[in-house]
Amino acid sequence: MKQKTFNKILISLSIVFLILQFVYSQIKLKTGVYNKNIRYMEYVVMALIMITTLVYAKKENKEFFKRLLIVYLVLIILFILFLLRGVI
């Protein structure tokens, strides 16, 4: 894949994520209730963004791919810890 294709995919996924964030905040403001379905869709879109950036990094630079993979693994571990603690 070319760099332009990756850029289009990342931009479209980011826009979808921003729309989901906006919808989630509006629902929470109006009803005062957390909508778990939208929150789960946000998690899926974020995972797709992470996978896309990993594929792009692997094609561009192996060292950058390794570092990015380590950062993502740390973020996933922190996310799981926060879920277990009830912060998220």
Side-chain angles (χ1 to χ4, degrees):
M1 288 182 150
K2 294 183 178 182
Q3 184 177 4
K4 289 181 181 181
T5 307
F6 278 112
N7 288 341
K8 289 178 183 178
I9 291 170
L10 282 174
I11 288 172
S12 61
L13 285 173
S14 299
I15 289 171
V16 168
F17 184 74
L18 287 173
I19 291 169
L20 288 172
Q21 283 281 312
F22 180 74
V23 169
Y24 180 78
S25 66
Q26 292 303 311
I27 289 174
K28 187 177 171 212
L29 283 175
K30 290 180 181 176
T31 63
V33 178
Y34 295 104
N35 191 328
K36 290 188 179 190
N37 292 331
I38 293 177
R39 186 57 81 183
Y40 293 145
M41 289 189 317
E42 287 176 353
Y43 295 155
V44 169
V45 171
M46 187 54 71
L48 289 173
I49 290 172
M50 292 170 81
I51 291 169
T52 305
T53 55
L54 283 173
V55 170
Y56 178 74
K58 189 167 186 173
K59 288 187 177 265
E60 290 296 317
N61 188 349
K62 300 283 183 183
E63 184 64 30
F64 179 63
F65 171 75
K66 291 177 187 175
R67 290 184 183 181
L68 188 62
L69 186 61
I70 291 170
V71 168
Y72 283 164
L73 288 175
V74 169
L75 287 174
I76 289 170
I77 290 169
L78 287 172
F79 177 74
I80 292 170
L81 287 174
F82 287 151
L83 278 177
L84 293 176
R85 296 284 240 168
V87 177
I88 296 177

